[in-house]
Amino acid sequence: LNLQLQKAKMTSNINISRTVYFLAYFQVDYEVLPGWKADISSIRNYADLPLAARQYVERIEELVGIPVHYIGVGPGRDALIYK
């Protein structure tokens, strides 16, 4: 999870263009969470998700301060978990 994007210290004033090189001037603070290898594309019930997936969702809720209501588990329109 990307927790914070901070502008890195630069030695001179440089006009940064809006390209991928723009990102070279920033430092990303992130948090690594456990992953899961199970296929979750057919799961439609939150309680049936692997523990690590549930913990991931709960950490996002904690960081943003609001509950997550929809969790996409695949490319289809019906590939949703309503939490």
Side-chain angles (χ1 to χ4, degrees):
L1 294 174
N2 177 5
L3 299 178
Q4 190 173 20
L5 192 63
Q6 296 179 352
K7 188 173 180 179
K9 294 179 181 175
M10 297 190 311
T11 57
S12 63
N13 271 335
I14 300 172
N15 185 3
I16 303 171
S17 64
R18 294 180 188 265
T19 65
V20 72
Y21 300 107
F22 176 79
L23 295 176
Y25 294 94
F26 289 87
Q27 176 183 337
V28 178
D29 292 331
Y30 62 94
E31 178 178 336
V32 177
L33 298 172
W36 57 93
K37 294 185 180 190
D39 178 12
I40 61 171
S41 62
S42 63
I43 296 176
R44 298 297 179 268
N45 185 346
Y46 183 75
D48 294 335
L49 284 172
L51 176 61
R54 293 193 313 269
Q55 289 172 334
Y56 182 84
V57 171
E58 290 160 12
R59 181 65 177 134
I60 291 172
E61 290 176 324
E62 182 181 316
L63 289 169
V64 299
I66 58 173
V68 170
H69 294 292
Y70 305 102
I71 302 162
V73 292
R77 291 180 182 222
D78 64 334
L80 280 177
I81 293 175
Y82 302 97
K83 182 173 177 274

